[in-house]
Amino acid sequence: MKPAGMACAALTLSTCALAGGVDRTSQSLSPLFEKGAHLSVEAYASRPQIQGTDAWGQSTGQVAPRFAQWGFAYKQDVDARNSVLVMLTRPYGLDIDYDRQSSRLFGGTQARISTYELMAALRHRWTERWAVHGGLRVQRSEGHVALNGLAFGPLNGYRVDFAPSTRPGYLLGLSYERPEIGLRIAGTYYSAIKHHVTTRETLRAGTTTTDSNSPQSFTLDLQTGLTPCTLVFGQIRWSQWSQFQLSPQAFAAATQGRGLTDLEDATTYTLGLAQKLGQQWSGFVALGYDPQSGKTPLSPLRPSSGRVGYTLGLSYQHERVKITPWISYQRLGATDVSSTRTPMAHFGQSSATAVGVKLGYSFE
């Protein structure tokens, strides 16, 4: 049994929109396992629908704007045993915006955090089945947070701007393959990346410095053939989001050491099935799961808890070109939010819809 190549093994963005809170790509290394020289470009647009009611009975309005993601990867064989990969992605992001004309408790609260990551990795096969991979990552992060509304008391009107910060990290991994049955197991560790960010706060003149860590994480990717035309695939990803602490100096001094974030370690799960539909067509379905937080209430910058995602896609291949469009529906869990320990707004079950496409080209 030798399953034909299908689109599911190359999914990077599509099964992970909104996973793990601000994780938007799952940092998949699937392009590293493509045959020969291969270029891929992927993009998606997401439309969240997150709206709640505050403690005064006022609507919060739509608090999560639409956003777009993209990434590209190029893989090249050096020789029979070694290959290299260069990848550019936007692995993490946060977009929150409370309408000023809605809730008086939270109206005007806003957060924008974006991250870009350039990665270069090398894979070495020491046998036909076992291989190691590793590489360097350079990550650039920037953003701002504004707290507005009566719920923040004396901090109403506080704003902090985070200047761009570029810092290095690394990844290390091990893989096992049996191509004759379509089996691949690949584990990858991603180091934490420590940022030292120049910040400007409304509570203090001049600039301050804020330390922030992008989380260390471990990803386990699996796939195996069930029949020559059917492939099952999955991923388990753990991220230490408790490392991600944003505590600007003036804000921490005014709040007895509190931070702007309250994220916890997260484990996300993906399980999918791909089916060959003809010589040029294949299709896939995938289910993603993100457990709900055990904390309550959560930060106003985190108006949902947990996720169940459903992804459906097709892949069409003509000679060296492969096109993979997909659509995903994410069901987001309910939660209470507050700037203190007392719930001040409730967000019921929410949702997000994402539509994307991946283009791949093989040079050999």
Side-chain angles (χ1 to χ4, degrees):
M1 178 179 67
K2 187 174 181 180
M6 288 180 261
C8 63
L11 287 177
T12 55
L13 303 177
S14 55
T15 59
C16 204
L18 298 175
V22 296
D23 192 341
R24 291 183 173 176
T25 67
S26 81
Q27 292 184 308
S28 172
L29 284 178
S30 59
L32 189 58
F33 299 91
E34 293 283 353
K35 294 182 179 180
H38 186 82
L39 174 68
S40 62
V41 180
E42 186 168 11
Y44 76 77
S46 181
R47 182 181 181 181
Q49 295 289 334
I50 304 177
Q51 185 169 327
T53 303
D54 69 19
W56 290 0
Q58 295 177 314
S59 171
T60 63
Q62 172 64 254
V63 304
R66 301 178 184 181
F67 66 89
Q69 286 287 109
W70 52 262
F72 84 86
Y74 177 74
K75 179 259 180 183
Q76 172 73 58
D77 289 336
V78 178
D79 53 39
R81 292 191 175 274
N82 298 289
S83 55
V84 294
L85 171 70
V86 177
M87 180 182 292
L88 178 64
T89 61
R90 299 178 63 191
Y92 309 124
L94 178 64
D95 290 276
I96 295 294
D97 192 353
Y98 287 74
D99 187 353
R100 289 184 178 275
Q101 305 304 316
S102 297
S103 169
R104 286 183 292 168
L105 292 180
F106 295 105
T109 296
Q110 187 180 84
R112 294 281 190 277
I113 297 176
S114 63
T115 302
Y116 300 83
E117 185 171 290
L118 178 64
M119 182 193 69
L122 171 69
R123 180 171 184 250
H124 172 70
R125 299 171 58 201
W126 79 80
T127 72
E128 290 301 312
R129 295 184 177 180
W130 289 97
V132 293
H133 55 270
L136 297 176
R137 303 151 55 212
V138 177
Q139 191 178 95
R140 183 178 187 270
S141 182
E142 61 182 319
H144 71 267
V145 174
L147 306 180
N148 288 287
L150 301 179
F152 295 101
L155 289 173
N156 182 5
Y158 170 81
R159 179 183 171 106
V160 56
D161 292 286
F162 301 98
S165 171
T166 302
R167 305 289 292 181
Y170 66 90
L171 63 96
L172 292 171
L174 178 70
S175 62
Y176 175 78
E177 292 182 288
R178 291 185 62 187
E180 70 275 12
I181 61 171
L183 174 67
R184 180 192 304 144
I185 303 172
T188 306
Y189 169 77
Y190 297 84
S191 71
I193 295 181
K194 298 182 179 181
H195 291 272
H196 304 286
V197 187
T198 299
T199 53
R200 186 176 295 276
E201 303 176 72
T202 55
L203 296 178
R204 180 178 297 180
T207 60
T208 58
T209 300
T210 300
D211 291 335
S212 172
N213 289 343
S214 288
Q216 65 174 340
S217 62
F218 179 79
T219 300
L220 182 65
D221 291 291
L222 309 98
Q223 70 169 53
T224 188
L226 298 181
T227 73
C229 294
T230 306
L231 193 71
V232 63
F233 63 95
Q235 183 187 84
I236 301 173
R237 177 170 168 82
W238 171 81
S239 301
Q240 194 176 15
W241 278 107
S242 57
Q243 288 186 327
F244 183 72
Q245 299 293 331
L246 284 178
S247 298
Q249 292 180 22
F251 180 86
T255 58
Q256 290 75 52
R258 287 171 50 198
L260 292 168
T261 58
D262 62 354
L263 297 177
E264 307 140 79
D265 298 348
T267 303
T268 61
Y269 307 87
T270 301
L271 180 63
L273 187 72
Q275 178 68 43
K276 191 170 179 62
L277 305 175
Q279 286 296 109
Q280 296 174 303
W281 291 91
S282 60
F284 62 88
V285 294
L287 173 68
Y289 174 68
D290 207 353
Q292 282 196 296
S293 170
K295 295 176 61 176
T296 186
L298 299 179
S299 163
L301 306 182
R302 192 181 171 193
S304 67
S305 178
R307 171 192 67 103
V308 178
Y310 310 90
T311 302
L312 176 66
L314 288 172
S315 182
Y316 172 77
Q317 183 160 4
H318 178 68
E319 297 179 348
R320 297 182 178 184
V321 178
K322 181 186 288 185
I323 302 175
T324 306
W326 54 266
I327 185 169
S328 183
Y329 173 78
Q330 312 282 321
R331 195 175 71 221
L332 310 177
T335 191
D336 293 324
V337 303
S338 179
S339 59
T340 63
R341 295 184 178 180
T342 302
M344 302 188 73
H346 176 74
F347 287 83
Q349 190 175 93
S350 306
S351 66
T353 303
V355 178
V357 63
K358 179 170 184 174
L359 303 177
Y361 183 83
S362 296
F363 293 89
E364 299 177 6

